Amino acid sequence: MHDGEGRCVELGQVAEQMSDRPGLNMTRSKIEAFAEDGFVVVEQILAPDEVELIKGRYEKLFRGEFETSLVPDELNWLQGRDAEDRTRQICNGWKSDRYIADVVLRPEIGRACATLGGWPGARLSQDNLIWKPSGGKPLGFHQDSSYERWCIPSDWVSCWIALDDTTAHGGTVEYVRGSHRWEESGMIRQFHAPDDPHEDLKVAAQRAGVNRLDLVPIEVPAGAGVFHSGWTWHGSDVNRSDRPRRALVAHCMSSEARFHPSFVGYIYSRYKRFGDDIMDETHFPIIWREDGYCSPFIGPYRRREISWGATQYAGPDTPSGAS
């Protein structure tokens, strides 16, 4: 809940929640590991019952059933439309389902990202819902922030949460240790189901003078996760296990981020108002700020008593892409 000026009045509750979720407490050692490696593996972020609830929402969302009746900003896989061996992805599922919103809009996630990013606060840039089925194809190695040139700064800190126990054999996310210090690269040639997920990574490593990649597969139990820099190279291989690998990701940027004055992102620049570089909090909510502020709509929106119904998506195919 909030006071009349959009100040979160649940800060005491947030502190209590953080003490119960060790993965969200940014200790000195975690901050140092993040700065050194470009990512840090953390303990529990979601409780077991929350993990099961969110996995149930994935079933509905990827069938095109949206609790708020709003289609996500990116719907890169839909049941009955796309190949079964493709890794499934939705971007900004929080706009379509308030159970997803209840996780990615949590102030304690914003606080952790802001702490690691050195920001006064954190906005949610977007979320990712990832579902790699058994046999699911790779996602190309990339830098997240190369896809965010439409905002200034384009730096991200992301909270990646495992919804299944992960293994290297199961196509878990992999990070290249220290790659956040390499030069900034552009969008990769093939993001979804690439023939070689390391294609662009190899070029970037060569430019950085790196002959041997330090690839770190993230093997954690469901509910645990990773925080990573938007400039850290990462991706995933084929899921060679007999079970799915699902993850929920909250990508955050500074609460002070603005739209780029000239660079246009083909999806997210649609929310830019003419003659104005301010980011509308309806689309890029401030989920935590050091003065206690967060976007006023978050509290009411996260309450799930109101039934918005559900709709079956029947619109045109959305373009493949990634952020």
Side-chain angles (χ1 to χ4, degrees), residues 10 27 45 83 91 166 178 183 222 228 230 240 250 262 301 304 319:
E10 297 174 337
T27 61
I45 298 173
C91 298
T166 64
E183 69 179 36
H228 70 262
R240 296 180 173 86
S262 58
Y301 184 69
R304 295 186 293 268

Side-chain angles (χ1 to χ4, degrees), residues 28 77 84 107 273 302:
R28 181 180 296 276
W77 190 93
E84 290 292 327
R273 297 189 293 258
R302 286 176 63 195

Side-chain angles (χ1 to χ4, degrees), residues 28-101:
R28 181 180 296 276
S29 62
K30 288 175 182 174
I31 294 170
E32 290 174 351
F34 180 87
E36 177 67 21
D37 298 336
F39 65 94
V40 60
V41 180
V42 299
E43 304 164 73
Q44 186 187 55
I45 298 173
L46 294 183
D49 59 333
E50 293 174 314
V51 168
E52 292 305 312
L53 186 151
I54 294 300
K55 286 196 291 189
R57 305 312 295 177
Y58 274 39
E59 296 280 353
K60 293 178 178 294
L61 284 158
F62 284 101
R63 284 201 303 265
E65 298 175 13
F66 307 125
E67 184 229 352
T68 68
S69 298
L70 295 176
V71 178
D73 282 313
E74 298 183 64
L75 184 58
N76 300 127
W77 190 93
L78 187 66
Q79 184 175 314
R81 187 192 73 182
D82 299 298
E84 290 292 327
D85 64 354
R86 291 295 183 102
T87 296
R88 307 165 189 185
Q89 177 181 252
I90 283 173
C91 298
N92 278 339
W94 74 267
K95 297 179 179 180
S96 305
D97 190 285
R98 286 174 294 171
Y99 291 87
I100 301 298

